[in-house]
């Protein structure tokens, strides 16, 4: 059985969302954050960098959200969380899945970290975030999620950062992305995951 090591308010809730969507049983190990909002030292016994998420499957221990999401869909022969392989839509899906942590996350953290500390936001950080939000809006259809009405891995990957941006009020000026986030929150997997593991983002 898959074990998911989940730090509160962390990227690990992405994996719980997928497991709930797949309707496969899993073991959930929860970790609370410290008073400094850091991962507790117990997570270093799971991963040398104290990371979350980490999944265990027998002797395999795997970190990094996108790697874990892809592993789980392959393990369970799931074809519902990505467009058909070999199609242009699938290639775009893989691009967006990797874009979230390779490009978008840094732009998000540049505004979220100062916001959490009550500091003024640098102008360049706001401009960079707005550029990324506009890019995401350009990749969205008029309604729904990135590739239809059901969440794909790219949508699941996007959810954590959108949750934190929404908590900080950073989606207000990009209505299409706000509508996208609203639609993601209506997904059954999202509702089940946050019911099990708590919200993706703290109140900022």
């Amino acid at each position: 059985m898959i074990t998911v090591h989940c730090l509160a308010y962390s990227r690990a809730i992405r994996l719980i969302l997928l497991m709930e969507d797949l309707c496969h049983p899993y073991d959930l190990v929860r970790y609370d954050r410290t008073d400094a909002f850091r991962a507790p030292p117990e997570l270093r016994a799971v991963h040398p960098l104290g990371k979350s998420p980490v999944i265990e499957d027998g002797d395999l221990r795997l970190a990094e959200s996108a790697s874990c999401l892809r592993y789980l869909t392959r393990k369970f022969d799931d074809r519902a969380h990505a467009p058909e392989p070999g199609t242009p839509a699938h290639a775009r899906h893989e691009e967006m899945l990797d874009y979230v942590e390779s490009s978008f996350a840094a732009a998000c953290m540049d505004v979220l970290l100062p916001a959490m500390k009550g500091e003024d936001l640098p102008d360049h950080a706001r401009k960079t975030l707005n550029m990324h939000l506009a890019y995401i809006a350009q990749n969205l259809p008029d309604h729904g999620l990135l590739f239809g009405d059901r969440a794909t891995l790219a949508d699941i990957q996007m959810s954590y950062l959108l949750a934190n941006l929404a908590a900080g009020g950073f989606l207000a000026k990009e209505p299409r992305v706000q509508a996208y986030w609203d639609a993601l929150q209506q997904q059954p997997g999202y509702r089940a995951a946050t019911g099990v593991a708590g919200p993706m983002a703290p109140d900022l």
Side-chain angles (χ1 to χ4, degrees):
M1 184 180 291
I2 297 290
T3 297
V4 181
H5 293 270
C6 178
L7 176 65
Y9 304 119
S10 81
R11 290 164 166 83
I13 302 175
R14 293 164 168 163
L15 308 189
I16 300 170
L17 195 165
L18 177 60
M19 290 302 294
E20 292 288 339
D21 250 5
L22 294 173
C23 298
H24 281 284
Y26 60 96
D27 288 327
L28 176 61
V29 183
R30 296 183 180 90
Y31 301 84
D32 291 327
R33 289 184 177 269
T34 66
D35 291 342
F37 206 70
R38 304 298 294 254
E42 291 85 354
L43 265 173
R44 289 192 179 276
V46 179
H47 189 282
L49 299 178
K51 295 180 71 69
S52 178
V54 172
I55 60 171
E56 291 183 88
D57 184 15
D59 293 333
L60 175 67
R61 189 170 288 184
L62 192 66
E64 304 302 338
S65 299
S67 296
C68 293
L69 290 171
R70 287 184 171 114
Y71 175 81
L72 291 170
T73 56
R74 290 167 184 159
K75 176 180 176 65
F76 296 114
D77 193 27
D78 169 63
R79 300 175 185 274
H81 288 87
E84 184 68 25
T87 63
H90 188 271
R92 291 288 294 153
H93 173 269
E94 296 301 291
E95 178 190 26
M96 292 304 291
L97 175 56
D98 290 326
Y99 156 78
V100 175
E101 289 295 337
S102 63
S103 300
F104 185 41
C108 295
M109 290 302 111
D110 282 346
V111 299
L112 290 170
L113 292 177
M116 289 180 69
K117 298 175 184 177
E119 299 173 354
D120 292 336
L121 303 183
D123 286 341
H124 71 85
R126 285 184 181 274
K127 289 178 181 177
T128 300
L129 176 64
N130 289 338
M131 178 181 68
H132 279 273
L133 292 177
Y135 172 74
I136 293 168
Q138 290 167 12
N139 279 275
L140 286 164
D142 290 341
H143 304 283
L145 309 181
L146 282 166
F147 297 93
D149 293 328
R150 180 170 181 175
T152 62
L153 298 188
D155 296 304
I156 293 171
Q157 188 79 331
M158 197 77 75
S159 63
Y160 172 76
L161 294 174
L162 294 181
N164 281 273
L165 291 174
F170 293 108
L171 299 184
K173 294 184 178 180
E174 188 51 77
R176 180 62 190 96
V177 180
Q178 178 65 62
Y180 171 42
W181 170 232
D182 292 342
L184 266 174
Q185 293 176 84
Q186 300 306 311
Q187 290 287 304
Y190 174 87
R191 290 183 170 186
T194 53
V196 168
M200 285 186 167
D203 294 329
L204 293 181

